Amino acid sequence: MALSSGWLVACASGQGRIDMAVPGMATGAGVGAAVACAAVVALLSAVLALYGPPLDAVLERAFSLNKARSIKDMKNTFQLVRNIIPPLTTKKHKGQDGRIGIVGGCQEYTGAPYFAAISALKVGADLSHVFCTQEAAPVIKSYSPELIVHPVLDSPDAVQDVEKWLPRLHALVVGPGLGRDDGLLRNVKGILEASKARDVPVVIDADGLWLIAEQPALIQGYQKAVLTPNHAEFRRLSEAVLRDPLDSSDPHGAVLRLSQALGNVTVVRKGERDVISDGRQVLECSQEGSSRRCGGQGDLLSGSLGVLVHWALLAGPEKTDGFSPLLVAAFGACSLTRQCSHQAFQKHGRSTTTTDMVAEVGPAFARLFES
Amino acid sequence: MALSSGWLVACASGQGRIDMAVPGMATGAGVGAAVACAAVVALLSAVLALYGPPLDAVLERAFSLNKARSIKDMKNTFQLVRNIIPPLTTKKHKGQDGRIGIVGGCQEYTGAPYFAAISALKVGADLSHVFCTQEAAPVIKSYSPELIVHPVLDSPDAVQDVEKWLPRLHALVVGPGLGRDDGLLRNVKGILEASKARDVPVVIDADGLWLIAEQPALIQGYQKAVLTPNHAEFRRLSEAVLRDPLDSSDPHGAVLRLSQALGNVTVVRKGERDVISDGRQVLECSQEGSSRRCGGQGDLLSGSLGVLVHWALLAGPEKTDGFSPLLVAAFGACSLTRQCSHQAFQKHGRSTTTTDMVAEVGPAFARLFES
């Protein structure tokens, strides 16, 4: 088996940078295009599944060699995101371009679900729902007449109340402004189980990830899930799932490993560079953002990702050149969030807040994906 | 002992003006730079502590002579503020540039804590929390999705509810929109005691100062406290603490005296010129503001100051050339507030309100401290 070494494909352009790391491939293999990796990876995954060599050893080899081959042109990667964006036509009906649900909003947090829901709309979803607590609902409603806000999350019937909407939703974003109340987390557990049962894609962020760190089985093997941890959330998740202290020397390997341990759930580790993996490939997004770290940017990402996940799954792998659609969706949402942050910072500098970034979603999207 | 006279260093430039008054120094001493004052003051403070001449007599001599030496260049003072501003880098995580808490917001007052909290964000904090009453919370939340608002201040568990957040906060601003309800003030007393116990810096304004005038012991000797009284609040505080009618002929001495009597708590007396003292030095800020006196400007000041106090303490006295970091933070917040007022007034004239001034925080900050 050709598992004695590995390679890393790094693509860069003026617009940003993407790295694709493929574990377990022979060094110097004459594979020219990233696309071809997918087939090899699929084959190797099958072989791995059969023969099961120690995963850590494979990964260590794959990444420690750190052979990088630069592909100058990142246009192709942005093209994959462009490929999944549904055309705007006059033939469509309301809802066809996306009905997204956000699960979150509690006593303290009302801004986060708003940022996620409004970002989904501004990316291009037709309808944005928020499922929050009774108390949070009027406040979230007051932020924008665009949102449909359901005050159900702390109700004894929360799971059924959300479940009855699931057939009408294309994706669920779980976590923005959720908090850590035990009762709420119990309800969210039920909602996640119902979503999986109905095959609804889920993006999990913030205290949704707290729940996953407590009960990884909730999401284990669900390949329509994307987790979007920041620095602290990634550490918590990683240590909970892998039962090892996080190795900070190998950011790509750490994300790949977590995704694999979760059964190929897509993981987006947000940071100075965002690292994305579906347990097979690793993408890195270093689209220029800004140095502002105000609260709410993660909600812009998760809300955008809700829409892009739906679009990517609808488009299917033939539109993403063999890459996992969720990987491409995640790359699109990361690039977009960073571009919004960049544009807002150009205008507002240190005083930039997430509201300024949300105002850039339209222009940033057009610039990255429609030019 | 050279206590028979005193002098006053006044610095002015096109941008504004700063005076530094050092009590007890020999007239005509050949000290060129303001910075050198600090060491002399420290020495004299020690001598004063040993020999203890009547403080009032010293101050009277120090200020009544009113010898002023003009230093044309105020750039150095603004430079001290610039020195404490953390660089924006892509290496940081959310929260590192400041997590600020505002304690206030009650039945009548909801705008004040909003102005303070949003100003903190626009100065550059990453997260702004508000701890207010149950009734005020949904309203404050509705002003902005950027804020995290906790409806806990009138709860029987208010002190514990706020205390559990203290380890995650870099500074607390106590008073905006607080009101004078006895129950609330009792809770705020507990919150102040908990903050002191955890060494959390506090800025106290508005009815937080009413509480301090009633119970000065609450803040006595806590050198991470800054009080920001306006004219009426200063009179009340001063008379409560010094048990003397306020001597309005000597504004610098009055502020110095109050700070000393409180054990070197930093005092910012807002007025036509803002006078700031830590009981050792007196700074005066006469950055051009406006003649509008609409409500809310003090909240812009206290919220900005919350962030700057955190940054200044983080930077430490080596970055403030021997000046107390809180003195520099206060000078920065006063200059910024006045510059916001000035810029807003240029655009809106007599109709200017605090919302117009908050909109100027970014450009004013950049102009004063980042150009």
Side-chain angles (χ1 to χ4, degrees):
Chain A
M1 278 169 63
L3 289 169
S4 61
S5 60
W7 57 269
L8 188 72
V9 182
C11 323
S13 83
Q15 279 200 292
R17 193 184 125 109
I18 176 171
D19 290 348
M20 291 167 289
V22 184
M25 289 190 65
T27 312
V31 183
V35 176
C37 301
V40 181
V41 168
L43 179 64
L44 284 166
S45 299
V47 173
L48 277 166
L50 280 173
Y51 296 94
L55 180 63
D56 281 359
V58 172
L59 291 172
E60 212 177 310
R61 280 194 297 271
F63 289 97
S64 62
L65 288 177
N66 199 29
K67 298 204 177 218
R69 192 160 58 128
S70 173
I71 295 174
K72 296 266 172 354
D73 183 6
M74 203 172 75
K75 270 191 225 152
N76 290 338
T77 315
F78 278 96
Q79 190 53 50
L80 298 185
V81 182
R82 289 184 194 111
N83 288 353
I84 66 166
I85 298 170
L88 284 166
T89 82
T90 54
K91 305 288 179 203
K92 285 184 187 162
H93 306 299
K94 180 174 75 176
Q96 284 188 282
D97 272 346
R99 295 183 296 269
I100 310 300
I102 314 293
V103 178
C106 66
Q107 193 193 46
E108 304 98 318
Y109 304 115
T110 51
Y114 159 75
F115 286 134
I118 199 75
S119 299
L121 282 179
K122 287 187 177 278
V123 164
D126 287 343
L127 293 166
S128 243
H129 294 256
V130 176
F131 302 92
C132 62
T133 66
Q134 179 84 31
E135 190 179 18
V139 175
I140 299 172
K141 288 167 189 277
S142 78
Y143 292 142
S144 169
E146 319 280 1
L147 310 182
I148 304 161
V149 182
H150 308 259
V152 298
L153 205 54
D154 51 351
S155 134
D157 305 320
V159 179
Q160 298 92 301
D161 286 344
V162 178
E163 199 172 12
K164 70 183 181 201
W165 283 93
L166 289 181
R168 282 180 271 180
L169 295 178
H170 295 118
L172 216 52
V173 180
V174 176
L178 178 58
R180 294 184 190 170
D181 176 86
D182 284 341
L184 288 189
L185 292 181
R186 252 194 313 278
N187 289 341
V188 169
K189 181 182 169 181
I191 293 165
L192 277 175
E193 282 163 344
S195 304
K196 273 163 52 183
R198 289 178 175 275
D199 217 29
V200 175
V202 290
V203 175
I204 308 183
D205 189 37
D207 284 328
L209 295 171
W210 170 269
L211 177 63
I212 299 300
E214 298 279 303
Q215 303 178 48
L218 255 179
I219 210 70
Q220 182 70 38
Y222 186 51
Q223 299 197 7
K224 287 193 175 175
V226 187
L227 313 185
T228 55
N230 63 18
H231 179 74
E233 291 155 354
F234 184 81
R235 176 176 296 276
R236 189 184 305 123
L237 259 179
S238 205
E239 293 180 358
V241 172
L242 297 168
R243 298 173 190 282
D244 256 338
L246 181 60
D247 172 10
S248 56
S249 70
D250 179 14
H252 285 204
V255 178
L256 182 78
R257 223 171 346 247
L258 177 60
S259 172
Q260 287 176 331
L262 286 168
N264 298 99
V265 164
T266 299
V267 177
V268 180
R269 181 188 185 167
K270 301 174 290 189
E272 192 184 358
R273 294 175 173 197
D274 302 323
V275 180
I276 310 161
S277 180
D278 63 347
R280 298 177 189 95
Q281 288 160 313
V282 181
L283 300 187
E284 184 180 284
C285 179
S286 56
Q287 179 73 21
E288 191 177 359
S290 85
S291 43
R292 267 297 265 159
R293 292 290 176 269
C294 53
Q297 297 180 63
D299 309 310
L300 198 165
L301 174 69
S302 66
S304 309
L305 186 48
V307 188
L308 286 164
V309 157
H310 163 54
W311 290 351
L313 289 169
L314 204 65
E318 61 278 15
K319 288 288 184 73
T320 53
D321 264 353
F323 277 95
S324 136
L326 297 196
L327 215 58
V328 172
F331 181 82
C334 289
S335 315
L336 177 67
T337 304
R338 297 168 80 98
Q339 179 67 20
C340 289
S341 179
H342 177 68
Q343 291 180 192
F345 190 81
Q346 297 283 96
K347 293 180 185 170
H348 306 284
R350 195 182 284 265
S351 75
T352 304
T353 63
T354 299
T355 297
D356 303 318
M357 298 176 191
V358 168
E360 299 296 329
V361 169
F365 191 94
R367 185 160 182 171
L368 292 182
F369 307 126
E370 295 180 317
S371 58
Chain B
M1 279 170 61
L3 289 170
S4 60
S5 59
W7 57 269
L8 187 72
V9 182
C11 323
S13 83
Q15 279 200 293
R17 194 185 123 109
I18 175 169
D19 290 347
M20 289 166 291
V22 184
M25 288 189 66
T27 312
V31 182
V35 176
C37 301
V40 180
V41 168
L43 179 65
L44 283 166
S45 299
V47 173
L48 276 166
L50 280 172
Y51 295 96
L55 180 63
D56 282 0
V58 172
L59 291 171
E60 213 178 309
R61 280 194 297 273
F63 290 99
S64 61
L65 288 176
N66 200 27
K67 298 205 177 214
R69 191 161 57 129
S70 173
I71 296 175
K72 296 262 169 1
D73 182 6
M74 203 174 71
K75 270 190 224 153
N76 291 339
T77 314
F78 277 97
Q79 189 53 49
L80 297 186
V81 182
R82 288 184 194 112
N83 288 353
I84 66 165
I85 298 169
L88 284 165
T89 82
T90 54
K91 305 281 180 205
K92 287 183 187 161
H93 305 300
K94 180 173 74 175
Q96 283 188 284
D97 272 347
R99 297 183 294 268
I100 309 300
I102 314 294
V103 177
C106 65
Q107 195 190 47
E108 304 96 319
Y109 305 117
T110 51
Y114 159 76
F115 285 134
I118 199 77
S119 298
L121 281 180
K122 287 186 179 279
V123 164
D126 287 343
L127 293 166
S128 244
H129 294 255
V130 176
F131 301 92
C132 63
T133 66
Q134 180 83 32
E135 192 177 16
V139 177
I140 299 171
K141 287 167 189 277
S142 77
Y143 293 143
S144 168
E146 317 280 1
L147 310 181
I148 302 163
V149 182
H150 307 260
V152 299
L153 205 55
D154 51 351
S155 133
D157 304 319
V159 179
Q160 297 93 299
D161 287 344
V162 178
E163 198 171 12
K164 71 181 180 201
W165 283 93
L166 290 180
R168 282 180 269 181
L169 296 178
H170 295 118
L172 215 55
V173 180
V174 176
L178 179 58
R180 294 184 191 170
D181 175 86
D182 284 341
L184 287 189
L185 293 181
R186 253 195 313 280
N187 289 341
V188 169
K189 181 182 169 183
I191 292 164
L192 278 174
E193 282 163 345
S195 305
K196 274 163 51 185
R198 290 178 174 274
D199 217 30
V200 175
V202 290
V203 175
I204 307 183
D205 189 38
D207 284 327
L209 296 170
W210 170 269
L211 177 64
I212 299 301
E214 298 279 303
Q215 303 178 50
L218 256 179
I219 211 70
Q220 182 70 38
Y222 186 51
Q223 298 198 5
K224 288 194 175 173
V226 186
L227 313 184
T228 55
N230 63 18
H231 180 75
E233 290 155 353
F234 185 81
R235 176 175 296 276
R236 189 184 307 122
L237 257 180
S238 205
E239 293 180 357
V241 172
L242 297 168
R243 298 173 189 283
D244 257 339
L246 181 61
D247 172 11
S248 57
S249 70
D250 180 13
H252 284 204
V255 178
L256 183 77
R257 221 171 348 249
L258 176 60
S259 172
Q260 287 175 332
L262 285 169
N264 298 99
V265 164
T266 299
V267 177
V268 179
R269 182 187 183 169
K270 300 174 291 189
E272 190 183 356
R273 293 174 176 198
D274 302 324
V275 180
I276 310 161
S277 181
D278 63 348
R280 299 178 188 92
Q281 289 161 312
V282 181
L283 299 187
E284 186 180 283
C285 178
S286 56
Q287 178 73 21
E288 191 177 358
S290 85
S291 42
R292 273 294 272 157
R293 292 291 177 269
C294 53
Q297 296 179 64
D299 309 310
L300 198 164
L301 175 69
S302 66
S304 309
L305 187 48
V307 188
L308 287 163
V309 157
H310 163 53
W311 289 352
L313 289 169
L314 205 64
E318 62 277 16
K319 287 288 184 71
T320 55
D321 264 353
F323 278 94
S324 137
L326 297 196
L327 216 58
V328 173
F331 180 81
C334 289
S335 316
L336 178 66
T337 304
R338 298 168 80 97
Q339 180 67 20
C340 289
S341 179
H342 177 67
Q343 291 180 191
F345 190 80
Q346 298 282 94
K347 293 182 186 170
H348 306 283
R350 193 182 287 268
S351 78
T352 304
T353 63
T354 299
T355 298
D356 304 317
M357 298 177 192
V358 168
E360 299 296 330
V361 170
F365 190 95
R367 184 162 182 170
L368 292 182
F369 307 126
E370 295 181 316
S371 57

